[in-house]
């Protein structure tokens, strides 16, 4: 049985105000000044719907709810759709890659 590919990884740009949060900064010791701050997640929903739910406080990540500005599709659309296992793995890999590029990254 082939697994249905209906999961997505997604990236949300966060406001630079997130840099004032000590917990975020502790998680990003190699952040390069001027690089974007982002949240990387995965979902079985369309990323637009998931972002709206974050902003509305529905199963929301605190950083996205408070600091989320917009989706950054240029960082994720080439990967989607995925199986659950692919999305789970890629979420971690994408976060690592962005951190290595100097981004400030939050993952749940």
């Amino acid at each position: 049985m082939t697994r249905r590919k209906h999961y997505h990884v997604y990236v949300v740009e966060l406001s630079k105000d997130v840099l004032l949060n000590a917990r975020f900064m502790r998680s990003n010791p190699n952040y390069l000044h001027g690089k974007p701050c982002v949240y990387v997640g995965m979902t079985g929903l369309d990323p637009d719907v998931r972002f709206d739910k974050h902003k509305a406080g529905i199963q929301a990540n605190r950083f996205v709810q408070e600091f989320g500005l917009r989706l950054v599709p240029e960082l994720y659309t080439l990967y989607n759709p995925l199986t659950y296992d692919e999305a789970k793995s890629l979420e971690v890999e994408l976060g690592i890659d962005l951190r290595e590029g100097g981004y400030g990254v939050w993952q749940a």
Side-chain angles (χ1 to χ4, degrees):
M1 178 180 203
T2 305
R3 290 196 169 193
R4 193 168 139 238
K5 293 188 173 194
H6 73 279
Y7 288 89
H8 303 271
V9 292
Y10 63 100
V11 179
V12 175
E13 181 181 359
L14 302 176
S15 162
K16 295 290 185 189
D17 292 344
V18 77
L19 295 172
L20 301 174
N21 183 287
R23 193 167 160 217
F24 185 87
M25 289 307 295
R26 276 194 306 273
S27 294
N28 291 283
N30 298 319
Y31 171 72
L32 295 177
H33 181 72
K35 286 285 195 171
C37 296
V38 297
Y39 172 85
V40 179
M42 67 167 275
T43 182
L45 303 172
D46 179 273
D48 289 316
V49 172
R50 184 64 188 110
F51 178 69
D52 291 344
K53 286 183 175 243
H54 277 295
K55 294 304 284 180
I58 301 166
Q59 295 178 329
N61 175 273
R62 178 177 153 240
F63 288 110
V64 177
Q65 186 176 13
E66 189 173 342
F67 302 108
L69 299 175
R70 67 180 186 94
L71 289 167
V72 189
E74 57 270 20
L75 295 178
Y76 64 83
T77 52
L78 67 144
Y79 304 113
N80 295 326
L82 303 159
T83 65
Y84 176 83
D85 290 336
E86 290 169 337
K88 188 174 173 183
S89 178
L90 184 60
E91 176 190 10
V92 173
E93 292 172 26
L94 185 55
I96 290 168
D97 288 348
L98 292 172
R99 268 201 183 96
E100 287 176 352
Y103 283 62
V105 177
W106 190 261
Q107 290 178 291

